[in-house]
Amino acid sequence: MAVSLLDRAPRRLREANGMSWQDRISVDPAVRSGKPCIKGTRITVYDVLEYMAGGMSEKEILADFPDLTGEDIRACLAFAAARERRLSSPAA
């Protein structure tokens, strides 16, 4: 049985405010070619991370994308951390 990214994520990432990144991030082949997106939007995790890497603050991102919340941005970060953890862990 495969272990999901969520099962490997630290407890604090899974349970922040009683939600996990899986509550806010979805992958749908019919939306943005299956890239991970914030649920109910076409905004990808990659987009949010790139804005942050480019120096945009959370406040600036939220001003530019009123459909997003601070929790959505944190879910993107948690998703990226879980993916990185999976990629950098040796295969079991």
Side-chain angles (χ1 to χ4, degrees), residues 25 31-32 35-48 51 61 64-68 76:
I25 307 292
V31 178
R32 298 290 303 264
K35 294 176 183 171
C37 291
I38 297 168
K39 286 185 180 179
T41 75
R42 295 180 53 80
I43 302 168
T44 66
V45 170
Y46 177 87
D47 293 336
V48 173
Y51 299 140
I61 294 169
D64 283 354
F65 300 94
D67 291 340
L68 295 184
C76 291

Side-chain angles (χ1 to χ4, degrees), residues 15-89:
E15 297 177 357
N17 296 325
M19 294 188 131
S20 72
W21 59 262
Q22 289 180 329
D23 295 324
R24 296 191 173 270
I25 307 292
S26 65
V27 177
D28 180 346
V31 178
R32 298 290 303 264
S33 301
K35 294 176 183 171
C37 291
I38 297 168
K39 286 185 180 179
T41 75
R42 295 180 53 80
I43 302 168
T44 66
V45 170
Y46 177 87
D47 293 336
V48 173
L49 296 175
E50 184 142 287
Y51 299 140
M52 294 184 82
M56 286 182 77
S57 69
E58 180 177 321
K59 185 177 179 178
E60 291 170 321
I61 294 169
L62 296 175
D64 283 354
F65 300 94
D67 291 340
L68 295 184
T69 66
E71 289 82 12
D72 293 328
I73 292 172
R74 285 184 286 286
C76 291
L77 293 170
F79 176 88
R83 179 173 273 189
E84 176 61 24
R85 187 172 299 100
R86 180 182 57 94
L87 293 175
S88 63
S89 296

